[in-house]
Amino acid sequence: MYLGDVAWPDLEDYFETESLALIPLGSTEQHGPHLPEATDHLIAEAFAREVAERTGYLCTPTITVGVSGHHRQFHGTMWVEPSVFREYVASLTRNLTYHGIDRVVYVNAHGGNVPHLREVGARLRQEEVAYGIEWMWDESIPDLVDDLFEQNGPHGGPKETAMIQYLDSALVHEDRLADARDGGMTSVDDAEMMRHGSRTFYDAADNTDNGVLGDQTDATAEKGEQLFDAATEQLVHLADWLADQAFEDLLPRDHV
């Protein structure tokens, strides 16, 4: 059930009987010359809405701008400061608790959001307000991602390309896939992102001229459908597990 489509009187039964909500989050940032800037939030919303449709859990409107300052050198990238993002997500989650929600899944599709969502979830749990956990679609199916692509790439690579080819193929510039590969960084290992145990870069532009990594020509809509179906199943299982937990069991343990 998508909250934005429902009249308020028709939400009463849900809030009386259910305590879980799905919050999709992504970014509006460069994804190379071949993908739309909406890539991450389109993916996150697709997962959250599909799982809400299958399970009946509540899906909230999507947070479309995230922590993306590391992509700022590329035209059109939007971002908010990490502290602003954390406070916004925490406030939104507290808003849901007013209606009776006490657990949420942050359905996330942007790596830059991950540590901040984890921090928000930990803070709300410590305050015993809500139990929020971050879910990243590709991390739920790592073996399948590795099996499908020779050179994956963490940003704008074949996994995200395949997902958008499946979700909305009209948004993919198919004639630019080879240019995306050749003008970016095909191999993550070649990018030398780690030196002597240290992550020595801060911006995407430090590693890739066109903003992407991986071999985008390895992507197809059929692979995107495989990824979507497999990760959706994982999110259904996670939501069901979380909904079944007693809230008291999700809170911090007493001091030893």
Side-chain angles (χ1 to χ4, degrees):
M1 176 171 56
Y2 177 62
L3 187 150
D5 288 342
V6 184
W8 73 261
D10 302 319
L11 288 165
E12 183 176 2
D13 287 345
Y14 185 86
F15 290 124
E16 284 183 348
T17 59
E18 299 287 350
S19 56
L20 183 141
L22 305 164
I23 304 178
L25 310 95
S27 69
T28 300
E29 65 182 24
Q30 71 85 15
H31 274 78
H34 62 301
L35 290 179
E37 304 226 350
T39 291
D40 286 343
H41 73 251
L42 290 175
I43 293 173
E45 182 169 325
F47 278 119
R49 285 199 178 223
E50 178 66 20
V51 171
E53 181 68 23
R54 292 189 189 187
T55 63
Y57 295 128
L58 186 70
C59 173
T60 73
T62 304
I63 298 175
T64 60
V65 176
V67 181
S68 299
H70 50 295
H71 291 290
R72 68 187 184 279
Q73 287 95 340
F74 298 92
H75 301 308
T77 292
M78 302 185 70
W79 71 92
V80 294
E81 294 302 317
S83 59
V84 174
F85 177 79
R86 291 193 297 268
E87 288 307 312
Y88 183 87
V89 175
S91 180
L92 176 64
T93 306
R94 289 191 180 94
N95 154 218
L96 289 170
T97 68
Y98 179 81
H99 298 295
I101 298 297
D102 61 19
R103 64 206 73 191
V104 300
V105 179
Y106 299 119
V107 181
N108 180 41
H110 173 49
N113 293 339
V114 171
H116 309 291
L117 293 172
R118 292 284 299 171
E119 181 177 328
V120 168
R123 186 199 317 170
L124 294 173
R125 176 176 179 262
Q126 189 64 38
E127 295 170 358
E128 300 189 358
V129 173
Y131 187 83
I133 50 176
E134 184 267 345
W135 178 83
M136 187 80 172
W137 72 271
D138 57 311
E139 293 182 359
S140 74
I141 49 169
D143 293 340
L144 179 59
V145 172
D146 288 342
D147 288 344
L148 289 179
F149 307 113
E150 289 293 330
Q151 294 286 353
N152 182 25
H155 183 76
K159 65 187 177 188
E160 290 182 323
T161 302
M163 285 291 294
I164 299 301
Q165 285 172 322
Y166 170 62
L167 294 174
D168 193 344
S169 61
L171 296 176
V172 181
H173 295 274
E174 297 285 347
D175 59 330
R176 299 178 184 174
L177 296 184
D179 289 341
R181 176 197 62 197
D182 298 340
M185 182 64 68
T186 304
S187 169
V188 174
D189 292 336
D190 291 346
E192 296 183 340
M193 293 182 177
M194 298 292 294
R195 288 182 174 85
H196 311 296
S198 175
R199 178 172 167 165
T200 56
F201 73 96
Y202 287 97
D203 297 325
D206 296 338
N207 293 314
T208 168
D209 291 338
N210 68 2
V212 295
L213 298 98
D215 182 359
Q216 293 75 16
T217 65
D218 202 17
T220 66
E222 291 73 22
K223 291 180 180 181
E225 184 175 13
Q226 285 183 261
L227 294 170
F228 186 79
D229 288 345
T232 296
E233 184 176 345
Q234 293 300 311
L235 182 53
V236 167
H237 291 322
L238 177 63
D240 283 341
W241 170 83
L242 185 56
D244 286 342
Q245 304 308 301
F247 184 63
E248 294 76 16
D249 294 339
L250 297 170
L251 297 179
R253 297 185 181 185
D254 293 335
H255 193 292
V256 295

